[in-house]
Amino acid sequence: MNAERWNSTCAYRNTHFAFDVFDQEPLRPDHRIWTMPNVLVTPHVAMVGPDIDRRRFELIADNCRHLLTGEPLQYLVTDKILGF
């Protein structure tokens, strides 16, 4: 994330943002973005393989269902230092 995007993220508090790539990775554990309620940080994963788009969509759809029903999310990043 560059400075321009960072400033936009901070300025638009009623808007939500999702990021998976940053200028400097990994982010520091104390980086402000971890505590911003309007920001979703996802792991940056490059993957190629058969049916990868379908598999990604299914994972996102499954996690949306989990979120709506109060079930635990799959593949949740719990270690912000290691990134997994």
Side-chain angles (χ1 to χ4, degrees):
M1 172 191 322
N2 61 29
E4 182 179 335
R5 285 196 181 126
W6 173 253
N7 291 335
S8 295
T9 303
C10 293
Y12 296 102
R13 298 188 193 288
N14 293 328
T15 304
H16 289 81
F17 299 87
F19 298 104
D20 75 341
V21 178
F22 299 90
D23 291 338
Q24 181 179 352
E25 293 187 11
L27 288 177
R28 297 181 327 269
D30 62 342
H31 195 287
R32 180 178 170 199
I33 204 165
W34 293 118
T35 62
M36 297 178 76
N38 64 329
V39 174
L40 170 67
V41 178
T42 62
H44 180 72
V45 179
M47 191 162 88
V48 177
D51 299 317
I52 193 65
D53 289 334
R54 179 189 55 78
R55 291 168 46 205
R56 285 183 183 142
F57 177 78
E58 288 173 357
L59 173 61
I60 292 168
D62 285 346
N63 268 343
C64 287
R65 282 191 287 277
H66 284 236
L67 184 64
L68 291 172
T69 60
E71 297 176 60
L73 299 179
Q74 302 175 62
Y75 308 107
L76 186 64
V77 175
T78 57
D79 189 319
K80 294 176 183 173
I81 296 172
L82 295 176
F84 58 86

